[in-house]
Amino acid sequence: MPLVSPFRTSFATQTSRDLLLLRVVTDAAEGWGECVAMAAPLYSEEYVDGAADALRRFLVPALAAAGPVPATSVASVLAPFHGHRMAKAALEMGVLDAELRAEGRPLSRELGAVHDRVPCGVSVGIMDDVGALLDAVGGYLEEGYVRIKLKIEPGWDVEPVRAVRERFGDDVLLQVDANTAYTLADARHLARLDPFDLLLVEQPLPEDDLHGHADLARLITTPVCLDESITSARTAAAAIRLGACQVVNIKPGRVGGYLEARRIHDLCVAHGVPVWCGGMLETGLGRAANVALAALPGFTMPGDTSASGRYYARDITAPFVLDDGHLPVPTGPGLGVEPLAEELAAVTTATEWIAV
């Protein structure tokens, strides 16, 4: 699916999204899962062809061999296979969607949502120059987004933040995301962001450096948020215990599914740690599920649950459209949305059925 504009982070520039969808057909209903792995292992070790291989050779056969399995048991059935959280999340999502559709229950209710709409932030990629950045941020604010996130990297950090603050003022909710681009040796430089009253700095150091993040959190006043480092409720608990983060970004695909995402939410609520829902340039399928998750009570900060038009001129579902800076939580059974046949066919490059 082509993006409406290039999206540049510290690790890659994307102009299109190569997506893996999973359709789960049961005797009672069918459901959809979306795998958020990228085409190349740049955000994490997973990539879309590898996810397809893991699903085809290991995960789907294991689930089939276990017999009829409720969605709540999918993770335990797949636990013997190490890693592959994004592939596992897609499979669990599809099973959960089918199960909830058969029972007429919406995903939001299943997860414990308490809101019927969620506030939306937007992620702004690294630009060629500050002028282009200011134009982009201004456009998103005019559309109604309630929070701006700037992607940063060494050489593109303090000055872009300064320019946005000077142009749009201190009232704009503003945060930055480094995607692991720095090291602890950059602590003094990252401290130069402190005067700009940012909501947080997201994943400044490598994902395996919890101790480094804990040290950094003591050296800067901007709250540290973890993204790539949080792969389960267990790693979230360790990060909180170490003081490695004051905020957690929950991405269901990264942690193995929406049920594990809910466990992380519950853990963070118990420890008084605010959470928000991250995004992986999902289609309307993944976006619907993310919005349902973001309606839980602990999601007290606007997430990257942007409108469909932020990334895609044409989505494969009915588009999610911003309304006063918010998106509505779907109320239909399961995800509450499903693919539009013509739109899906237009972007489908291959289809494979796995009979079980």
Side-chain angles (χ1 to χ4, degrees), residues 14-162:
Q14 293 177 264
T15 57
S16 63
R17 190 77 166 93
D18 186 12
L19 291 148
L20 172 64
L21 300 181
L22 193 68
R23 182 182 177 191
V24 175
V25 179
T26 72
D27 292 337
E30 64 179 55
W32 290 87
E34 179 170 340
C35 181
V36 298
M38 296 175 59
L42 298 172
Y43 169 79
S44 75
E45 69 277 6
E46 294 188 69
Y47 61 102
V48 68
D49 287 345
D53 186 61
L55 284 161
R56 180 188 305 113
R57 295 176 58 194
F58 304 109
L59 304 184
V60 172
L63 194 62
V69 174
T72 52
S73 298
V74 170
S76 61
V77 171
L78 303 182
F81 302 100
H82 292 272
H84 298 287
R85 292 181 180 87
M86 294 178 179
K88 291 176 179 178
L91 185 51
E92 182 190 84
M93 177 181 172
V95 172
L96 181 58
D97 185 32
E99 184 177 293
L100 293 175
R101 287 181 191 273
E103 298 172 358
R105 293 187 291 143
L107 175 63
S108 57
R109 186 193 308 166
E110 177 73 8
L111 295 176
V114 296
H115 304 290
D116 59 8
R117 65 177 196 156
V118 299
C120 298
V122 65
S123 184
V124 185
I126 296 168
M127 303 281 182
D128 291 334
D129 57 72
V130 169
L133 174 68
L134 295 177
D135 288 343
V137 170
Y140 292 131
L141 291 174
E142 288 180 6
E143 289 181 39
Y145 285 102
V146 301
R147 186 270 288 154
I148 300 294
K149 181 173 84 173
L150 304 181
K151 294 289 188 177
I152 62 171
E153 64 181 0
W156 181 267
D157 41 39
V158 176
E159 292 312 312
V161 171
R162 186 194 314 278

Side-chain angles (χ1 to χ4, degrees), residues 29 36 40 99 105 119 147 157 172-173 183 186 209 219 221 277 331:
V36 298
E99 184 177 293
R105 293 187 291 143
R147 186 270 288 154
D157 41 39
V172 171
L173 298 179
T183 69
D186 297 310
D209 193 5
L219 296 171
T221 60
C277 185
T331 58

Side-chain angles (χ1 to χ4, degrees), residues 2-339:
L3 302 182
V4 294
S5 61
F7 185 60
R8 178 182 166 193
T9 65
S10 62
F11 59 83
T13 298
Q14 293 177 264
T15 57
S16 63
R17 190 77 166 93
D18 186 12
L19 291 148
L20 172 64
L21 300 181
L22 193 68
R23 182 182 177 191
V24 175
V25 179
T26 72
D27 292 337
E30 64 179 55
W32 290 87
E34 179 170 340
C35 181
V36 298
M38 296 175 59
L42 298 172
Y43 169 79
S44 75
E45 69 277 6
E46 294 188 69
Y47 61 102
V48 68
D49 287 345
D53 186 61
L55 284 161
R56 180 188 305 113
R57 295 176 58 194
F58 304 109
L59 304 184
V60 172
L63 194 62
V69 174
T72 52
S73 298
V74 170
S76 61
V77 171
L78 303 182
F81 302 100
H82 292 272
H84 298 287
R85 292 181 180 87
M86 294 178 179
K88 291 176 179 178
L91 185 51
E92 182 190 84
M93 177 181 172
V95 172
L96 181 58
D97 185 32
E99 184 177 293
L100 293 175
R101 287 181 191 273
E103 298 172 358
R105 293 187 291 143
L107 175 63
S108 57
R109 186 193 308 166
E110 177 73 8
L111 295 176
V114 296
H115 304 290
D116 59 8
R117 65 177 196 156
V118 299
C120 298
V122 65
S123 184
V124 185
I126 296 168
M127 303 281 182
D128 291 334
D129 57 72
V130 169
L133 174 68
L134 295 177
D135 288 343
V137 170
Y140 292 131
L141 291 174
E142 288 180 6
E143 289 181 39
Y145 285 102
V146 301
R147 186 270 288 154
I148 300 294
K149 181 173 84 173
L150 304 181
K151 294 289 188 177
I152 62 171
E153 64 181 0
W156 181 267
D157 41 39
V158 176
E159 292 312 312
V161 171
R162 186 194 314 278
V164 170
R165 271 285 180 244
E166 290 178 349
R167 171 70 65 86
F168 301 105
D170 295 336
D171 292 337
V172 171
L173 298 179
L174 184 64
Q175 63 193 56
V176 296
D177 182 8
N179 290 113
T180 76
Y182 298 85
T183 69
L184 188 57
D186 297 310
R188 181 173 296 181
H189 179 73
L190 290 170
R192 294 177 60 197
L193 295 170
D194 289 342
F196 299 110
D197 192 27
L198 301 177
L199 292 174
L200 55 89
V201 54
E202 183 180 351
Q203 197 66 45
L205 311 184
E207 63 271 14
D208 60 354
D209 193 5
L210 287 184
H211 288 282
H213 279 102
D215 291 339
L216 179 65
R218 290 188 286 268
L219 296 171
I220 65 176
T221 60
T222 303
V224 172
C225 171
L226 291 181
D227 172 1
E228 287 92 332
S229 294
I230 306 298
T231 57
S232 64
R234 185 181 299 110
T235 57
I240 293 170
R241 182 178 180 182
L242 288 170
C245 61
Q246 291 76 51
V247 184
V248 169
N249 169 356
I250 300 180
K251 290 180 178 174
R254 191 193 63 233
V255 303
Y258 286 86
L259 301 182
E260 183 71 6
R262 180 176 60 184
R263 283 187 280 272
I264 295 172
H265 161 272
D266 295 347
L267 170 80
C268 289
V269 168
H271 287 82
V273 175
V275 301
W276 56 282
C277 185
M280 293 288 289
L281 283 65
E282 290 92 347
T283 71
L285 296 171
R287 195 170 310 282
N290 286 351
V291 169
L293 179 69
L296 270 64
F299 286 82
T300 56
M301 306 177 75
D304 287 340
T305 48
S306 306
S308 299
R310 163 63 185 93
Y311 297 111
Y312 303 114
R314 297 174 66 180
D315 206 340
I316 61 169
T317 67
F320 281 83
V321 179
L322 210 61
D323 180 14
D324 190 30
H326 292 69
L327 288 183
V329 177
T331 58
L335 298 178
V337 301
E338 54 189 73

